Amino acid sequence: DTQEFSKLRKMLFPIHQSELRKFIPLTSIFLLVAFNYSTLRSLKDMFLMQHTAPAVIYYLKLIAVTPSIVVMTILYSKVSKSTDRDGRFNAVIAYFLIFFAVSYFLLVPNLEALKLDSLAQSLTESMPMFKLLWEAIRVWPLSLIYIHAEGWGTMALGVAFWTFVNEITSVEQSKRFYSLLSLGSAAGGILAGIVIKYFQGNFSITLSFSLVAMVGILVIYNIFAQDIKKHPALYQVERKPKKKKEKLSFMDSVKFLMRSDYLAQIATLVMVYGSAVALFESVWKAKIKELSTASVDSGAILAETYGNQAINGGILSIILILFLAAPIMRKGWRFAASFTPVVALIATLLFFSFLYFQEALSGITAPLGMSPLEMAVAFGGLNVVFIKSTKYILFDPTKEHAYIPLDEES
C-alpha cells in the first residue's frame, strides 16, 4: 500500500487500497450530486423554453438567481455557526429535497392554475420595457424551480460537497483524488442524459429520479460520516489549526473577503468563467428554442439535445480523466488552471465563426442531412461539452486545491 505506483497505475488510478474506504463513498456521493446537477440544469431550461421565451432566463439569472444565491449563502453561514460539518451538509441537501418535493407534488401539477396571467398582463401594459421580467413573474413556479436548480449547483455541489471533501482530504491526497473523483461526476452526467432522453424530458418522471438521488446522498453521507467519527485514523484526516471563531456580520464578512487578495483572485476566476459560459450558452439556447419551435414535437427536440449534451459530456470527461487529467495536473497548478479558459476561448471562437458563416457552409451541412440551424445547435452542443468537461475535470479541481490551505474562517 505504501509502495510507489507503476507507471500505468500512476496514470490511470493512483489510489492506494487503504484509501478506497474514503474514495468510494466520496465518488458515490459525487455521482448522485452530479446526476442531480445535470438533470436539474437540463430540466430548468427545457421546462422554461416549453412555457415561455428563452430570454426570460437572462432576467432570472440577473435579477433572481444572483440575489437568491447570496441569501442562501448568508443562511448557510448562519447554519454553519450553529452546527457541525454534518449538520451543515444535511441542512443543504434536506432544504433542496423539501423544495423539489413540493415542486413535484404541488407546483408542477398545478402550474396552469398558479400562473399570474392577470398580474403579468397588467404590469406589461404599464411597463412594457420590462416585459420579460413580468413574464418570469407570470410563470413564478417555473422561476422558483429555475432558481433552485441553479442553487443546487452552487450550494450542494460547489459549497456543501466540496467543503466536505476539502475538510477530509490532505493536499497530498487531493493531487491524486480530485480528478479521479470526477469519474463519479462523469457517470452521473451520463445517467442524467440517459434518463432525460428515455423519458423524453418528462418533467415529473425525471424530477422523481432527482428526489430519489437526494435521499441517496443523505443516506450515503451519514453512513460515511459516522464511520469517519468511529475510525478517524483510517481516513487520514488532516487536522487544521482552528482560530477562535468570531461572529461576523454580513458586511464584516464582505470586508474580510475584500482584504484577502487570495480569495478575491479565486472569486474573479469563478465569476469571469461563469459570465463567459453564460454569454456563450445564451446564444446557443436561443438557437435550440428556434429549432424546437420549428418542430412539431418540441419536447423531443429539447430532450434529445440536452440528453446528448449530458451523455457526451460524461463520456468526454471519462476520457479526459483516464488519459489527460493526470499528465496535465503534473505540469503544475498554473498550467492545469489555464487549460479550461483556453479550451473555452477556442470553442467559443469556433462557434461564433460557424454562426457567422453558417449560410456559406450550407453546402457542407446539406449532404449531412442537416440544415444550418440544426448544425449550429449540434456544433454549439459539442462546444458546451468540451467547455464543461474541462471545467469539471481541471478547472474545479484546481480551484478546490486553492481552498485547502485556507483556515476554517476563510
Side-chain angles (χ1 to χ4, degrees), residues 272-273 276-277 280 338-353 379 383 386-388 390:
V272 172
Y273 174 84
V277 173
F280 168 77
S338 302
F339 196 88
T340 301
V342 169
V343 168
L345 177 62
I346 294 169
T348 303
L349 285 172
L350 286 173
F351 177 66
F352 283 109
S353 297
F379 195 66
N383 286 349
F386 273 99
I387 293 169
K388 293 199 170 180
T390 53

Side-chain angles (χ1 to χ4, degrees), residues 39-40 43 47 95-111 114 140-142 144-146 148 195 199 201-215:
T39 302
L40 296 172
L43 283 179
F47 211 34
Y95 170 76
F96 285 103
L97 176 60
I98 291 168
F99 172 79
F100 284 109
V102 170
S103 300
Y104 180 80
F105 289 108
L106 181 63
L107 298 184
V108 175
N110 299 293
L111 178 59
L114 292 170
W140 67 269
L142 300 185
L144 274 182
I145 290 169
Y146 190 96
H148 282 79
V195 169
F199 293 105
N202 183 292
F203 192 90
S204 295
I205 295 175
T206 310
L207 185 57
S208 67
F209 279 89
S210 283
L211 294 175
V212 171
M214 289 179 202
V215 173

Side-chain angles (χ1 to χ4, degrees), residues 46 196-197 284 288 291 299-310 312 377-378 381:
M46 291 163 59
I196 289 166
K197 287 185 69 173
W284 178 58
I288 296 173
L291 180 63
I301 293 287
L302 292 171
E304 186 76 12
T305 302
Y306 280 96
N308 284 338
Q309 180 199 335
N312 294 334
V377 169

Side-chain angles (χ1 to χ4, degrees), residues 76-200:
Y76 177 83
S77 176
K78 291 185 179 297
V79 170
S80 298
K81 292 171 184 174
S82 59
T83 187
D84 60 7
R85 178 181 67 209
D86 298 342
R88 295 196 302 266
F89 187 95
N90 286 325
V92 170
I93 305 302
Y95 170 76
F96 285 103
L97 176 60
I98 291 168
F99 172 79
F100 284 109
V102 170
S103 300
Y104 180 80
F105 289 108
L106 181 63
L107 298 184
V108 175
N110 299 293
L111 178 59
E112 291 303 319
L114 292 170
K115 285 180 180 177
L116 300 174
D117 294 324
S118 299
L119 176 62
Q121 182 64 30
S122 174
L123 289 170
T124 301
E125 289 171 0
S126 59
M127 289 177 280
M129 63 186 301
F130 296 114
K131 178 183 176 181
L132 291 172
L133 176 59
W134 312 140
E135 181 65 13
I137 292 172
R138 184 179 77 84
V139 291
W140 67 269
L142 300 185
S143 299
L144 274 182
I145 290 169
Y146 190 96
I147 291 166
H148 282 79
E150 289 277 325
W152 177 268
T154 301
M155 301 307 299
L157 176 58
V159 177
F161 175 75
W162 278 113
T163 298
F164 171 60
V165 176
N166 289 340
E167 286 180 353
I168 67 167
T169 309
S170 66
V171 174
E172 187 279 325
Q173 276 186 329
S174 72
K175 294 173 183 176
R176 295 178 290 110
F177 266 48
Y178 280 10
S179 289
L180 279 174
L181 274 178
S182 298
L183 281 171
S185 173
I190 292 171
L191 285 173
I194 291 170
V195 169
I196 289 166
K197 287 185 69 173
Y198 184 81
F199 293 105
Q200 293 288 289

Side-chain angles (χ1 to χ4, degrees), residues 4-17:
E4 271 297 313
F5 302 113
S6 66
K7 285 187 177 179
L8 183 63
R9 173 78 181 272
K10 190 173 184 179
M11 183 177 75
L12 296 178
F13 194 72
I15 307 296
H16 294 290
Q17 189 173 346

